[in-house]
Amino acid sequence: MPTISDVAKLSGLSKATVSRVINNHPYIAKEKRERVEKAMKELGYVPNPSARRLRGSLTSTIGVIVPRIVNPFFSYLVNAIEQAAFKNNYQVLIFQSNENKDKEIYFLNLLKNRQVDGIVMTSIENDWDVIEPYTQYGPIVLCNEYLNKSNVPMVRLDQVKGAYIGTKHLIDKGHTKIAYCTGGLFAEDGKDKDRNKGYQQALEEAGLTLNPNWIFINKHTTEDGKKVMKQMMAMNDKPTAIFTGSDEIAAGVIIEAKEHGLKVPEDIAVIGFDDQPAAEMMEPKLTTIRQPINDLGEKSVEQLISLMNHKEAAVENVELPVELLVRDST
Amino acid sequence: MPTISDVAKLSGLSKATVSRVINNHPYIAKEKRERVEKAMKELGYVPNPSARRLRGSLTSTIGVIVPRIVNPFFSYLVNAIEQAAFKNNYQVLIFQSNENKDKEIYFLNLLKNRQVDGIVMTSIENDWDVIEPYTQYGPIVLCNEYLNKSNVPMVRLDQVKGAYIGTKHLIDKGHTKIAYCTGGLFAEDGKDKDRNKGYQQALEEAGLTLNPNWIFINKHTTEDGKKVMKQMMAMNDKPTAIFTGSDEIAAGVIIEAKEHGLKVPEDIAVIGFDDQPAAEMMEPKLTTIRQPINDLGEKSVEQLISLMNHKEAAVENVELPVELLVRDST
DNA sequence: TTGTACGCGTTATCAC
DNA sequence: GTGATAACGCGTACAA
């Protein structure tokens, strides 16, 4: 592994000059620049990022923290971020927090140590109070997450509207008994609170009252969806439609419904969330809410880069629109 | 960002002693060790990985190169690798090559620069001749890839058997006209050559002759699957079954078949590959070949770690078994 | 058992 | 325009 000194020696110039060539400084004699470049090529020289970082210069590297990479939503988001970063000559480090607080802290420390110039967080495990101190070492952008603190840049989706248009769509189809799944606890304040609001808003507007029996909390997976369907079938007063909160849950609901001879959407209408690839593979094809994942990634990177370049760039909050995709399950 | 000197100052000891504490050296007085630990906590000290790497010590970091993270096969594989690495106190850096040769080289250079101690490659874009030189800087393990060079550790699946048991299953079901999709060119030597072999072997054993019209090359996506189905319908002599090579392609075939009123498996039997989550969500549920992705990741990491620890550990080639999952599409 | 001093590869400062 | 040189934070040989 050749170093800058090797290049200097081979080209018969000083380390300083070589460094200047590497970093595109002005005022270098054409002839010397070429000698350096030739030497670099000859030795297969590559600058050592550790040394650069240690020296204090920027690293052209940003980090992305995701909870679980196997979740398609996040793998698509990571991809979008990676593409956008690459366009801007940034390299991406991907971290999986596994919803673990300690791992999250570990990754944030990479900011402290200049391993990365900035971080995109697509989930938050720790309280903001413990994350906040890290912002002094470099910018942190919240992507798809949302906090009631004012000084954090956030890029996110209009979740209220997502749940609202989904529920509204079911109402427009004539449904009045609409079940609802949430990944959280259906609390005023907490996970998925925006979606809860959208759901309730649509109900209210239509003059429908919320039936607590039809609210399913802490649901995430296809298995959860199956369980939900089982529970609904055991009810005396059964819902005729369900807003599931994710395509996975929707899949479980549909599988279980068919298992028992129920027809979708005739007996039970189902609406998903995310528009994952599987949504189109199901039978019936799933009506769902599409989230502009690519925009989400792009805006986050833009935001981060501008923050990295001008320390005091305006902290901007971006809210992206979601979209209803009507297919065959409603 | 406090440094080792700050800790030394605060604890009233030397940098050397602090360093020893950090690295768990023997022969440190209990009392001093505690003073150091107290100081570290007090300052929120975290060692700077760049400095460590520069100094030449190992980094407890391994890199994983994947072609596209949005491909569920790879996101699950990355997850498996990450979990296994974490268990062994290794950190994982994930790189997406996007099937780009230059990006691959860029990542391999991180090995040269000691950014990572070793690399798991789950795909290979460049010729081995250009990758090989990098092995002198640290171990490279091929995971799910396969090369006819003897000195590279490889952990992979028995693809011959995968295609064989899939095709055999269709034959056992009474099919004699079995189409086949490959991601490659159906050449003797090249991408997917093992699967090609398995397919042909099963055919031969059953005394069936291969019909070139039923071989579809360069297929990868759900869209490709739809096209394949269209092509098959336009044939005079139509296959009654198809080995698709991936669950995505299988999904496309099934969607298109149903679109045209064909019944699966009565009119056309379909078998996938991978056992992705979507396989169970489809209607009919997809018969497919399950690959032991977790084992694949675990073995690769094991292999890599043993190579990193004992320079001259035995280069081991592991071949993992695949499994047929019979569901409703055949 | 502890401390001193050097070097890892790079870039910025200063002097020429 | 170019070249010495110090400094970034750390780990280790050597000395004590």
Side-chain angles (χ1 to χ4, degrees):
Chain A
M1 41 209 142
T3 74
I4 200 170
S5 303
D6 298 325
V7 178
K9 220 168 290 171
L10 181 61
S11 62
L13 294 164
S14 72
K15 292 195 300 178
T17 304
V18 176
S19 176
R20 289 192 186 101
V21 170
I22 294 171
N23 296 287
N24 279 315
H25 280 239
Y27 312 128
I28 311 179
K30 273 250 151 66
E31 182 257 343
K32 314 218 163 168
R33 160 170 280 127
E34 277 155 15
R35 254 162 64 199
V36 169
E37 280 162 353
K38 180 158 168 293
M40 292 202 298
K41 196 153 290 172
E42 217 168 307
L43 277 77
Y45 167 78
V46 183
N48 182 322
S50 293
R52 286 185 144 175
R53 284 196 253 270
L54 188 56
R55 194 57 185 70
S57 48
L58 289 194
T59 63
S60 298
T61 305
I62 64 181
V64 184
I65 301 181
V66 297
R68 300 186 311 127
I69 195 75
V70 296
N71 180 322
F73 176 80
F74 289 106
S75 66
Y76 274 83
L77 183 52
V78 161
N79 180 56
I81 290 173
E82 210 261 351
Q83 304 289 344
F86 191 70
K87 255 188 233 154
N88 291 279
N89 288 315
Y90 274 83
Q91 183 196 347
V92 175
L93 256 37
I94 305 169
F95 308 119
Q96 188 170 215
S97 75
N98 269 310
E99 294 163 12
N100 175 321
K101 292 190 185 200
D102 294 337
K103 268 189 149 180
E104 185 173 86
I105 294 297
Y106 179 81
F107 295 145
L108 289 171
N109 272 320
L110 298 183
L111 191 56
K112 203 167 168 178
N113 299 321
R114 308 182 138 288
Q115 303 303 294
V116 296
D117 299 337
I119 286 187
V120 177
M121 299 184 73
T122 70
S123 68
I124 300 186
E125 305 305 332
N126 290 276
D127 289 336
W128 181 248
D129 298 345
V130 357
I131 297 176
E132 201 277 330
Y134 288 90
T135 57
Q136 62 185 285
Y137 304 113
I140 294 179
V141 169
L142 260 35
C143 171
N144 193 43
E145 273 284 4
Y146 162 22
L147 242 37
N148 281 325
K149 317 281 166 169
S150 57
N151 60 338
V152 208
M154 293 178 281
V155 179
R156 60 198 194 86
L157 302 166
D158 191 341
Q159 300 284 356
V160 178
K161 190 178 166 207
Y164 174 83
I165 59 179
T167 311
K168 178 95 168 34
H169 167 69
L170 293 171
I171 294 172
D172 290 347
K173 284 271 179 177
H175 295 280
T176 57
K177 302 174 174 187
I178 302 173
Y180 175 86
C181 297
T182 171
L185 299 169
F186 203 71
E188 269 293 307
D189 198 58
K191 210 170 171 188
D192 281 357
K193 59 177 178 299
D194 282 358
R195 291 194 188 171
N196 300 347
K197 202 189 293 176
Y199 169 69
Q200 297 183 58
Q201 194 177 312
L203 250 43
E204 257 170 49
E205 272 184 31
L208 299 173
T209 50
L210 187 151
N211 182 337
N213 292 330
W214 298 338
I215 304 298
F216 298 91
I217 62 173
N218 253 322
K219 299 300 175 234
H220 301 95
T221 66
T222 301
E223 277 315 306
D224 289 339
K226 291 182 186 176
K227 280 180 209 151
V228 165
M229 188 66 226
K230 275 190 193 121
Q231 287 184 45
M232 289 198 298
M233 290 199 316
M235 293 179 180
N236 292 325
D237 191 11
K238 299 183 179 61
T240 61
I242 180 166
F243 175 94
T244 60
S246 90
D247 289 354
E248 281 108 327
I249 300 173
V253 168
I254 291 177
I255 289 172
E256 191 67 25
K258 289 196 297 191
E259 197 86 10
H260 294 271
L262 294 183
K263 291 219 169 109
V264 179
E266 293 81 354
D267 299 321
I268 176 90
V270 180
I271 185 165
F273 211 105
D274 284 350
D275 190 33
Q276 292 179 6
E280 239 207 327
M281 300 183 195
M282 290 182 226
E283 172 70 20
K285 291 180 187 166
L286 189 64
T287 294
T288 192
I289 312 290
R290 196 187 87 85
Q291 316 192 70
I293 298 189
N294 285 336
D295 298 351
L296 199 56
E298 252 169 61
K299 292 278 180 211
S300 303
V301 172
E302 269 175 30
Q303 199 33 221
L304 194 63
I305 288 181
S306 94
L307 243 33
M308 294 188 303
N309 292 341
H310 340 280
K311 281 256 172 202
E312 292 311 335
V315 168
E316 207 183 320
N317 288 334
V318 182
E319 195 168 50
L320 266 21
V322 295
E323 182 187 351
L324 175 69
L325 287 186
V326 179
R327 290 201 272 248
D328 308 329
S329 69
T330 56
Chain B
M1 40 211 142
T3 75
I4 201 172
S5 304
D6 298 325
V7 178
K9 219 167 290 169
L10 181 59
S11 62
L13 295 163
S14 73
K15 292 196 300 178
T17 303
V18 176
S19 175
R20 291 194 185 99
V21 170
I22 294 171
N23 295 286
N24 279 314
H25 279 242
Y27 312 127
I28 311 178
K30 273 248 152 69
E31 182 256 344
K32 313 217 163 164
R33 163 171 277 128
E34 278 157 13
R35 254 160 66 196
V36 169
E37 280 163 352
K38 181 159 168 290
M40 292 202 299
K41 196 153 291 172
E42 216 169 307
L43 287 129
Y45 168 77
V46 183
N48 182 324
S50 294
R52 288 183 141 177
R53 284 196 252 270
L54 189 56
R55 191 58 186 65
S57 47
L58 290 193
T59 63
S60 296
T61 306
I62 64 182
V64 183
I65 302 182
V66 297
R68 299 186 312 126
I69 195 75
V70 298
N71 180 322
F73 176 81
F74 289 106
S75 68
Y76 275 82
L77 183 53
V78 162
N79 181 56
I81 290 172
E82 210 261 351
Q83 304 289 344
F86 191 70
K87 258 188 230 154
N88 291 280
N89 288 315
Y90 274 82
Q91 183 197 346
V92 175
L93 255 40
I94 304 167
F95 308 120
Q96 189 170 213
S97 75
N98 269 309
E99 295 163 12
N100 175 322
K101 292 190 185 199
D102 294 337
K103 267 190 152 181
E104 185 173 85
I105 294 296
Y106 179 81
F107 295 145
L108 288 171
N109 272 319
L110 298 182
L111 192 56
K112 204 166 168 178
N113 298 322
R114 307 183 140 287
Q115 303 305 292
V116 296
D117 299 336
I119 287 188
V120 176
M121 299 185 73
T122 69
S123 68
I124 300 187
E125 305 305 331
N126 289 276
D127 289 336
W128 181 248
D129 298 345
V130 358
I131 296 176
E132 199 277 331
Y134 288 92
T135 58
Q136 63 185 286
Y137 304 114
I140 294 180
V141 169
L142 259 36
C143 171
N144 193 43
E145 273 283 5
Y146 164 22
L147 241 37
N148 281 326
K149 316 282 169 172
S150 57
N151 60 337
V152 209
M154 294 179 281
V155 178
R156 61 195 194 86
L157 301 168
D158 189 343
Q159 301 283 354
V160 178
K161 190 178 166 205
Y164 175 81
I165 58 178
T167 312
K168 177 95 169 34
H169 167 71
L170 293 170
I171 294 172
D172 289 346
K173 284 270 179 179
H175 294 279
T176 57
K177 303 177 174 185
I178 302 173
Y180 175 86
C181 298
T182 170
L185 299 169
F186 202 71
E188 270 292 307
D189 199 61
K191 209 171 172 186
D192 282 356
K193 59 177 176 301
D194 281 358
R195 291 194 188 171
N196 301 345
K197 202 189 293 174
Y199 169 68
Q200 297 184 56
Q201 195 175 310
L203 249 42
E204 258 171 49
E205 271 184 30
L208 299 173
T209 51
L210 188 151
N211 182 335
N213 292 329
W214 299 339
I215 304 297
F216 299 92
I217 62 174
N218 252 324
K219 298 302 175 236
H220 300 94
T221 65
T222 301
E223 276 316 305
D224 288 338
K226 292 183 185 175
K227 279 179 209 149
V228 166
M229 187 67 227
K230 276 189 192 120
Q231 287 184 45
M232 290 198 297
M233 290 201 314
M235 293 179 180
N236 292 326
D237 191 11
K238 297 182 181 63
T240 63
I242 180 165
F243 175 94
T244 59
S246 89
D247 290 354
E248 281 107 329
I249 300 174
V253 169
I254 291 178
I255 290 171
E256 191 68 24
K258 290 196 297 192
E259 198 87 10
H260 295 273
L262 294 183
K263 290 220 168 108
V264 180
E266 292 82 354
D267 299 322
I268 176 91
V270 180
I271 185 166
F273 210 107
D274 285 350
D275 190 33
Q276 292 180 6
E280 241 208 324
M281 300 183 195
M282 290 180 223
E283 172 71 17
K285 292 179 187 166
L286 189 63
T287 293
T288 192
I289 312 289
R290 195 187 85 86
Q291 316 193 67
I293 298 188
N294 286 334
D295 298 351
L296 198 57
E298 254 169 58
K299 292 279 180 210
S300 304
V301 171
E302 269 174 30
Q303 198 37 218
L304 193 63
I305 289 182
S306 94
L307 244 33
M308 294 188 301
N309 292 342
H310 339 282
K311 279 257 171 202
E312 291 311 336
V315 168
E316 208 182 321
N317 288 335
V318 182
E319 195 167 50
L320 267 20
V322 296
E323 181 189 351
L324 175 68
L325 287 185
V326 179
R327 289 199 273 249
D328 308 330
S329 68
T330 56

